[in-house]
C-alpha cells in the first residue's frame, strides 16, 4: 500500500482541517477583549499561564509535526524490513538510534531482551509509558501495522519527553519486542518495566 507524502496530510491548523474549507466561518475577534488584554499587559497586570497550560496541545503538535517526515520514513524502513518476534534487530537499532539522535540515550537490550529498549526523560510527578511495537507476522510482514505503531509511539514519546521537564512528570519510551505471540511485554513486566 502506498502512503501519501507527508506534505499532503492535513494537520490541525491547516486550512483543510480548520473548518473554513467545509463552509464554516469564524467569528471575528472581540476587539474589546483584545484591547482589555493589551491594556493589562501594558499595566503589567497580564495573567501568567502555568507552563503546563502554555505547552498544552499546541506544544505537542509542534513536537510531532517537526518530526513527521522522519517518523514516516522510519515507518517505511521498518515495513521494508519485517522481523519476527525477538529478532527485530533492524527495528530496534533504527528506533534506538533515533532516540539517541534526540539526546535520550536509550538503554539497548533492556530488561535482558536483546531487542527491547527504554529511554527516560523527566524525574518528578507522574510517569507516562509509551510502548513501541515493531515485530512482524510470519509470511505476511507488517499486516498489523507495527511499523506504524512503532513510529507513532516514538513520535508521541518524543513529544512528551520534549515537554516533560516543563510541564512536570516523566516519560518512559519502551521498545516492546515480540508482541505477536511472543509475550515480550510479559517478560518486561516481570523484569520491572511497568
Amino acid at each position: 500500500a502506498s502512503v501519501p507524502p507527508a506534505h499532503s496530510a492535513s494537520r490541525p491548523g491547516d486550512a483543510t482541517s480548520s473548518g473554513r474549507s467545509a463552509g464554516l466561518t469564524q467569528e471575528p475577534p472581540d476587539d474589546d477583549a483584545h484591547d482589555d488584554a493589551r491594556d493589562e499587559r501594558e499595566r503589567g497586570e497580564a495573567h501568567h499561564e502555568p507552563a503546563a497550560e502554555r505547552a498544552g496541545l499546541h506544544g505537542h503538535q509542534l513536537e510531532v509535526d517537526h518530526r513527521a517526515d522522519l517518523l514516516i520514513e522510519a515507518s517505511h524502513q521498518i515495513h521494508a524490513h519485517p522481523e519476527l518476534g525477538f529478532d527485530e534487530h533492524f527495528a530496534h537499532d533504527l528506533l534506538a538510534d533515533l532516540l539517541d539522535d534526540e539526546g535520550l540515550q536509550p538503554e539497548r537490550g533492556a530488561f535482558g531482551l536483546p531487542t527491547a529498549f527504554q529511554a527516560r526523560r523527566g524525574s518528578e510527578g507522574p510517569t507516562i509509558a509509551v510502548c513501541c511495537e515493531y515485530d512482524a507476522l510470519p509470511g505476511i510482514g507488517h499486516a498489523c501495522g507495527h511499523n506504524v505503531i512503532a513510529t507513532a509511539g516514538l513520535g508521541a514519546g518524543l513529544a512528551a519527553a520534549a515537554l516533560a521537564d516543563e510541564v512536570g512528570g516523566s516519560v518512559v519510551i519502551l521498545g516492546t519486542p515480540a508482541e505477536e505471540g511472543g509475550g515480550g511485554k510479559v517478560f518486561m513486566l516481570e523484569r520491572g518495566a511497568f
Side-chain angles (χ1 to χ4, degrees):
S2 174
V3 176
H7 59 79
S8 69
S10 173
R11 295 192 178 127
D14 289 349
T16 57
S17 66
S18 68
R20 288 187 291 269
S21 63
L24 301 176
T25 59
Q26 264 184 323
E27 291 296 317
D30 180 355
D31 288 333
D32 291 335
H34 178 41
D35 291 341
D36 291 345
R38 186 186 65 233
D39 292 344
E40 284 179 358
R41 283 192 306 275
E42 288 172 359
R43 289 190 309 263
E45 299 172 4
H47 300 286
H48 298 285
E49 291 181 84
E53 291 177 26
R54 264 195 332 272
L57 183 59
H58 297 292
H60 285 83
Q61 286 172 335
L62 294 173
E63 291 297 331
V64 173
D65 285 352
H66 94 267
R67 294 178 178 91
D69 292 338
L70 177 75
L71 295 169
I72 291 169
E73 178 58 29
S75 175
H76 290 179
Q77 287 184 36
I78 293 170
H79 187 270
H81 297 90
E83 301 167 298
L84 301 181
F86 297 118
D87 197 30
E88 313 98 324
H89 298 284
F90 177 86
H92 167 274
D93 292 346
L94 175 65
L95 297 169
D97 287 347
L98 292 172
L99 287 165
D100 263 332
D101 292 347
E102 294 284 335
L104 277 133
Q105 303 172 335
E107 176 189 349
R108 297 166 188 255
F111 309 103
L113 300 173
T115 58
F117 62 80
Q118 75 168 334
R120 294 182 176 272
R121 175 67 48 90
S123 59
E124 304 211 5
T127 299
I128 297 170
V130 180
C131 295
C132 302
E133 300 171 353
Y134 34 82
D135 63 331
L137 292 164
I140 56 175
H142 283 289
C144 287
H146 286 184
N147 58 305
V148 175
I149 293 170
T151 56
L154 183 68
L158 290 172
L163 300 170
D165 291 329
E166 183 177 354
V167 300
S170 62
V171 177
V172 60
I173 303 169
L174 296 169
T176 57
E179 191 278 335
E180 293 291 350
K185 287 188 196 84
V186 174
F187 291 113
M188 293 174 71
L189 174 67
E190 291 170 348
R191 297 171 185 180
F194 299 99

